[in-house]
Amino acid sequence: MSAGRETVDQVQIATERLCREYAWRDAHELLTDTRAQLRSIAGLLDGGRDRELLVQAGWLTLLAGCVEYDTGRYPRAERSRRAAARLGQETGHGEITAWSFEMSAWFALTRGDVAAVGPLAQAGMETAPHSSVAVQLAAQAAKAAARMGDANEVDRLLEHGHRLLGEHDRPSRPENHFVVDPRKWDFFAMDCYRLLGDDRRATEHAHEVLRISRRPDGTDSSPMRATEARLTMAVVSVRRGDLDAAATWTNAALGARRKSVEQLVMITDELRREVRRLYPGDPASRLVTEPIDRAVAAG
């Protein structure tokens, strides 16, 4: 069975729209609509193996896994990731398969299993070496290297990723979650430099992330990236001895409605460690830690 061209085009449009909404839309609503679209594709297939529809199912399954992980549905996220990997292999779509490796790398990074990230990223890059996902895989490996304190490896991976990025034309739909464009590079570099203690470069990239995330009305087009940028500024403020500024940045970050639970925990734990290291027993440090405690308690 093969779906008609008009039907496939409609499915592709719907899939693209959902992938573009990842950065800002309410996670529960997005997941509901993504699953509904997957059910619709299953109905169109009705036991058939139309490759074009299966490819769209692959993208949607990746998207579902990302949102499931963001909202703390970890076993379901892993099942979705594996299902997407199977669809990528079945359709011969290396990019979908590579994104399944990218998800594994991200899961490992946020769980603190940093030693696993590099091999997963390398496997993904070998699967789709000329796709833009290779840029994000290099970035995930760089983030892991930064958490291991390997500045030379961070520099190598960031240089490699930036070179790969330069080989691709600027995408027409950069807001699609599964598209890597120059706007994401500041986000990747910011994380690495913050972890390495290079506060000057971390600050420069954080301000750029906030600038390009800001809509004309002042809201964030990419709330999760903006949240990490604000927490980066909180970490830098703590290191500079300005707890008031750190508290302001922390409260602004925690106020975002669209969150990734594991990402938020990972960065706020880093902020807590810096506060404990630099202000052990100082009551003023509660300006920073108490908002985090409240946010964690609220889930």
Side-chain angles (χ1 to χ4, degrees):
M1 174 182 175
S2 180
R5 184 71 258 163
E6 183 178 350
T7 297
V8 171
D9 288 345
Q10 289 174 347
V11 170
Q12 289 176 333
I13 290 168
T15 299
E16 170 75 17
R17 174 179 59 79
L18 290 166
C19 291
R20 289 169 59 194
E21 291 175 348
Y22 170 82
W24 59 267
R25 193 175 174 198
D26 177 86
H28 301 286
E29 292 179 1
L30 179 59
L31 187 56
T32 296
D33 285 357
T34 299
R35 288 174 176 166
Q37 185 65 15
L38 280 166
R39 289 193 297 271
S40 177
I41 291 175
L44 290 169
L45 288 166
D46 192 24
R49 310 308 296 167
D50 186 295
R51 181 182 183 276
E52 290 185 271
L53 289 178
L54 289 171
V55 166
Q56 298 310 306
W59 289 120
L60 289 167
T61 305
L62 287 171
L63 178 63
C66 291
V67 181
E68 286 160 350
Y69 195 74
D70 288 344
T71 53
R73 297 172 170 89
Y74 307 129
R76 293 199 68 161
E78 176 58 18
R79 288 197 294 271
S80 293
R81 187 201 67 77
R82 291 181 182 181
R86 288 193 297 271
L87 286 165
Q89 291 165 359
E90 181 178 341
T91 59
H93 201 292
E95 193 172 2
I96 288 175
T97 305
W99 274 105
S100 74
F101 278 109
E102 192 278 340
M103 288 174 66
S104 281
W106 172 240
F107 295 175
L109 185 72
T110 54
R111 289 195 309 265
D113 187 8
V114 292
V117 177
L120 287 166
Q122 184 60 39
M125 284 188 273
E126 290 171 359
T127 301
H130 304 297
S131 170
S132 69
V133 65
V135 178
Q136 185 138 332
L137 286 160
Q140 299 293 21
K143 290 182 177 188
R147 283 166 173 80
M148 291 186 283
D150 191 341
N152 289 334
E153 183 67 357
V154 169
D155 287 342
R156 185 189 72 80
L157 287 163
L158 287 178
E159 181 180 348
H160 176 62
H162 196 264
R163 185 170 63 252
L164 288 173
L165 188 62
E167 295 174 1
H168 294 273
D169 294 333
R170 188 177 183 87
S172 59
R173 301 284 190 179
E175 61 272 32
N176 185 317
H177 181 57
F178 301 109
V179 168
V180 181
D181 79 311
R183 297 185 305 174
K184 285 187 177 179
W185 197 250
D186 286 286
F187 176 67
F188 300 147
M190 173 190 73
D191 182 83
C192 294
Y193 291 131
R194 182 190 69 247
L195 285 157
L196 292 176
D198 189 336
D199 293 342
R200 180 185 62 80
R201 286 200 282 187
T203 297
E204 289 174 357
H205 288 293
H207 282 307
E208 184 62 11
V209 169
L210 290 170
R211 186 189 69 79
I212 60 183
S213 295
R214 192 174 298 115
R215 295 190 180 108
D217 64 1
T219 60
D220 294 320
S221 60
S222 300
M224 290 179 286
R225 288 187 225 166
T227 290
E228 187 164 339
R230 292 183 177 105
L231 289 172
T232 292
M233 292 307 304
V235 170
V236 170
S237 296
V238 166
R239 290 173 181 164
R240 291 173 175 171
D242 192 343
L243 287 174
D244 287 335
T248 298
W249 284 113
T250 300
N251 280 294
L254 297 175
R257 294 182 63 186
R258 178 69 167 95
K259 297 181 176 73
S260 172
V261 173
E262 286 298 306
Q263 178 188 27
L264 190 63
V265 169
M266 180 174 65
I267 308 303
T268 54
D269 280 352
E270 181 187 335
L271 177 55
R272 285 179 192 269
R273 289 194 298 271
E274 286 297 274
V275 170
R276 286 197 298 266
R277 180 176 70 86
L278 294 168
Y279 302 95
D282 188 337
S285 67
R286 291 200 295 267
L287 289 168
V288 179
T289 58
E290 286 184 350
I292 297 173
D293 294 339
R294 288 194 296 270
V296 170

